[in-house]
Each structure stands twice: as C-alpha cells, then as structure tokens.
Amino acid sequence: MCTNSYPIKNLCQKIDIKLYFFYLTYYNDIMKQKSFYEEREISCIERRNAIVDTLPYFVRDFFIGVELRTSALTSLNYAYDLRVFFDFLTKKVFRNKNIESIELNDLAKLEASDFEYFLSYLSHYYINGKEEKCTETGKARKLSTLRAFYKYYFNRNSLPANTPAKVSMPKIHEKEIIRLDSNEKVDEIGDMLYTIETGSGLTKNQMRFHGATKLRDAAIITLFLGTGIRISELVGLNVDDIDFNTNSFVVTRKGGNRAVLYFNEEVASALHDYVDIRIKSNLPDENALFLSLQNRRISTRAVQELTKKYAKIISPLKKITPHKLRSTFGTNLYRQTGDIYVVADCLGHKDVNTTKKHYAAITEDVRKKAATTLTLKNDK
C-alpha cells in the first residue's frame, strides 16, 4: 500500500490506517492546487483549442509550431484574430466555402489587396451575430497575426509568399496620456484616496458594502499608484508575496518572469491595514492577497469596476482605469527622476522605446525643469 510516490511513506507502519488516508488525501489536495497563473494559462489554452477546432485543419500546425515561443495569452489572441480572418474570407472572398473547407491553396491565391480589404472590413463587421469594430491598434495586431501565420507556412514551403508582409501597417495615432493629476491646483490622487477612505460621493447602495471593502480598495489603488504594476500582476498576488521587512513584493511579469518590486511607506501603510484583516479572515484554502466579498481571489473585472467607481466621483470627465493609474505612476516617476530607463524597469517594459513612446509628451516638462535647475555661476 505504501509507495515511494508519497513523502509520508515512512509513517505507514506507525499510524492508524484512517489517519494515513487522511494525510494521503490532504497531500493530494495540495498537489492538485494550481496557482493563479497556472489556472489562467490552462484557461487560455482551453479557449484557444476550442476556437482552433472551428478553423481549417491545417491551422493546428501553426499553433503547435509557435507554442514554444509564445505565451498562452498571445496564442489565444492569435486564435481570435484568425477566427475573424477566416470568417471574413467566407463572407467576402470565398463565398461558396465554409471555414472548415478552406485550404492552404486558397490562401495562396490571396493578394495584397485582399488583406487591405480585410483591414477596411475591420472598421465595422459582424461575427457570431455581434457587431464589432477595430481601432488602429486592433487592425495592426490582426495584420501582425496574419504576417506570423503566413510566415510559418512560407518557411515550410507550404505557401509561395508571405503576402500580408507586403501590406503596410495601419498608422497608429499617438493618444494623450490620461492620468490623475496632482499639482498645486488639483490633487486628484489625494481626492481619490479620500473618497475611498470616507465613501464621500458613493451611492446609498454602494455604501452598503463600503465598510467591508474600503481597506482592500485603498490597498489596491495605492499599490497601483505607488508601484505601477499591471492589473494581472495585482490580481495574481498572494499573501506570501509581500515582505514588509524590505517593503517589497514578488510579481509575475508578462512571459512568466518573476520580479521583485519595492514600495514606499505610504503603500506599506495601506497594505498593512488591509493585510491585518486579510490574515484574520483565516482562509487556509485561499492564498490570494486581494479577495472578493465571496472570499475568493478578486477578478480583473472587479478591480476595473472599483477603480471606475471611485474615479468617476473625483474626475468624471476622465476615463480612469487601472492602466491609467499605472500611467499616473509612470508619469510621476519620470517627472521626479527624469530617467526613462528607471521608468522602463519599474513598469516592466522590455524595450525602453516602448516607454519613450508613451511618455514622450512629458519630456518637455523634464527639459524645462533641467533648464531652470542648471546654474552657470557658483555664487559664494
């Protein structure tokens, strides 16, 4: 009955058989538990596979080929994009075919003009009975997917050319960085934290839950503003990821890399207040740091909604999201340090050019500050 597959094998001769099975069941339950990121990856893979099953048979080879160099989320987005593309082909190009009957030879017949037509089609289309439209960024992503898709088969001599690569990328117009302002005239950051603390401006229905959630919400918003982490990184945090001795925590970045981030005393205070009641909740089966009212790991949707709830009160004309709070952190850090490389590192950008692109608008402020700080004479 005892095997080397279980670490409790040496207890078999010493304990009651019922107790042994109790430990065995407990051990197996622990082994079955999956982290937030493992569960998210499995969910992405299952959804991707469900979509791939509705596409032409040869598409599966592409996903097998790119699996080792793409994340599960990227792979899922590829599947979404290809589903739209093949749906377009059956509606606008190969009207006598359904999606499953499309062959690689059919794709070889497409010309650059067909892909330009596809990009135009994306401005307003229907799929599965739903009305959809793509922004410039969405169109660019779908064209990138098609380039990768065609490149895979071109490199294996299954297609004569990577035709989508002949089509120019849509021009992406730079958007203004939306963020909370904090200066001599306005203090939107302070106002938001005050609203969370007091509930000022909340509806009567929202106030019913405010007492139970205000410490959690304050910790979440303060963490966004004080560290600039992504919403997925925040939702994935566990209680044991926080180290108050060093005022640091561990996050799982894009691509699965782990990184240590540090926070200041304001963030530490907000986290302390929440963690104290979080630990007292005594939920041994739930290791998530931030919990819903159902005592389960909070969802990204819930974090988006609570951010929107408070932001709407203090800045109704701005569409503040968790990502905008991340932009607020990046802007403040850049203004205080003037070092784009520090900002890129803290935000987890692999390419500093990404950071430069998003924060180029505030370089003028940094230049002005540098000009006024510089002195030519050393007055004694």
Side-chain angles (χ1 to χ4, degrees):
M1 181 169 61
C2 294
T3 68
N4 291 331
S5 60
Y6 298 104
I8 57 175
K9 62 185 180 69
N10 294 329
L11 297 177
C12 292
Q13 303 299 325
K14 303 177 182 179
I15 60 177
D16 180 83
I17 192 69
K18 291 183 179 179
L19 188 58
Y20 166 75
F21 277 113
F22 168 79
Y23 280 114
L24 188 61
T25 302
Y26 176 73
Y27 175 78
N28 286 337
D29 286 343
I30 292 176
M31 294 301 290
K32 289 176 183 176
Q33 289 178 1
K34 298 180 179 67
S35 72
F36 166 76
Y37 296 98
E38 289 172 329
E39 290 178 350
R40 187 178 67 173
E41 183 172 7
I42 291 171
S43 174
C44 286
I45 291 172
E46 289 176 344
R47 283 183 286 163
R48 179 204 67 191
N49 290 343
I51 295 172
V52 172
D53 286 342
T54 68
L55 301 180
Y57 69 93
F58 57 85
V59 174
R60 188 174 299 278
D61 294 336
F62 166 71
F63 284 97
I64 293 173
V66 301
E67 186 167 8
L68 294 179
R69 61 178 186 274
T70 58
S71 68
L73 183 58
T74 297
S75 183
L76 175 61
N77 286 330
Y78 279 164
Y80 284 138
D81 294 343
L82 290 174
R83 179 174 63 179
V84 174
F85 175 65
F86 281 106
D87 186 67
F88 159 78
L89 291 180
T90 61
K91 291 176 178 176
K92 302 296 182 180
V93 183
F94 307 124
R95 297 175 186 267
N96 60 333
K97 288 178 174 283
N98 57 36
I99 290 178
E100 289 85 352
S101 65
I102 293 177
E103 301 282 347
L104 269 171
N105 288 337
D106 295 318
L107 299 188
K109 298 173 185 176
L110 298 178
E111 299 178 358
S113 58
D114 292 308
F115 294 96
E116 291 171 343
Y117 182 19
F118 175 59
L119 294 180
S120 175
Y121 165 85
L122 291 173
S123 297
H124 183 258
Y125 65 98
Y126 291 86
I127 186 167
N128 294 334
K130 291 180 61 178
E131 183 179 12
E132 302 285 356
K133 62 180 180 178
C134 269
T135 61
E136 297 162 344
T137 304
K139 291 180 179 181
R141 192 192 83 176
K142 285 177 172 55
L143 183 56
S144 292
T145 295
L146 291 174
R147 286 179 174 183
F149 185 66
Y150 264 70
K151 181 180 179 181
Y152 172 82
Y153 295 103
F154 173 68
N155 288 342
R156 284 155 183 76
N157 299 315
S158 299
L159 286 175
N162 185 353
T163 311
K166 300 177 182 179
V167 179
S168 299
M169 276 288 179
K171 180 176 177 58
I172 308 296
H173 293 86
E174 295 296 329
K175 295 181 179 180
E176 179 188 3
I177 297 178
I178 299 175
R179 54 186 176 264
L180 294 178
D181 290 320
S182 184
N183 51 51
E184 295 177 356
K185 296 181 179 179
V186 295
D187 184 13
E188 291 177 333
I189 293 176
D191 291 344
M192 189 167 189
L193 295 175
Y194 176 79
T195 298
I196 297 172
E197 180 184 355
T198 63
S200 176
L202 294 179
T203 66
K204 186 177 294 186
N205 187 53
Q206 289 170 337
M207 283 299 295
R208 290 171 51 209
F209 306 99
H210 184 247
T213 62
K214 66 177 182 179
L215 291 180
R216 180 203 66 185
D217 295 352
I220 287 174
I221 298 301
T222 305
L223 199 57
F224 277 133
L225 293 169
T227 66
I229 63 173
R230 297 178 176 91
I231 187 171
S232 60
E233 295 166 351
L234 181 138
V235 170
L237 283 174
N238 291 328
V239 174
D240 51 13
D241 288 332
I242 309 294
D243 183 359
F244 286 109
N245 293 322
T246 57
N247 276 6
S248 64
F249 60 98
V250 180
V251 295
T252 301
R253 293 290 200 189
K254 279 186 176 179
N257 296 325
R258 302 276 279 173
V260 177
L261 299 181
Y262 296 89
F263 48 84
N264 62 21
E265 288 302 323
E266 289 177 282
V267 177
S269 177
L271 280 175
H272 257 303
D273 291 342
Y274 170 68
V275 169
D276 283 346
I277 65 166
R278 166 64 185 89
I279 293 176
K280 289 176 183 177
S281 61
N282 191 25
L283 299 169
D285 296 330
E286 183 55 77
N287 195 32
L289 175 61
F290 294 112
L291 302 177
S292 67
L293 288 173
Q294 290 72 41
N295 286 328
R296 291 290 178 264
R297 186 182 298 275
I298 197 169
S299 66
T300 55
R301 180 62 181 272
V303 175
Q304 290 168 342
E305 289 300 318
L306 73 87
T307 303
K308 178 181 176 182
K309 175 177 69 175
Y310 296 116
K312 202 171 182 180
I313 295 171
I314 58 100
S315 186
L317 298 182
K318 293 181 181 178
K319 189 178 179 181
I320 299 297
T321 64
H323 192 74
K324 299 301 185 292
L325 298 181
R326 176 173 159 84
S327 295
T328 301
F329 166 80
T331 299
N332 290 339
L333 184 62
Y334 188 32
R335 280 180 171 155
Q336 291 176 24
T337 66
D339 192 330
I340 200 69
Y341 292 95
V342 170
V343 178
D345 183 60
C346 289
L347 291 176
H349 290 165
K350 292 182 179 180
D351 185 356
V352 71
N353 289 318
T354 302
T355 319
K356 287 179 179 178
K357 181 176 69 175
H358 287 96
Y359 296 94
I362 60 172
T363 54
E364 193 68 23
D365 294 344
V366 175
R367 287 175 187 154
K368 287 180 180 178
K369 183 179 179 181
T372 56
T373 303
L374 180 68
T375 58
L376 301 180
K377 293 172 60 179
N378 185 15
D379 296 329
K380 295 183 180 179

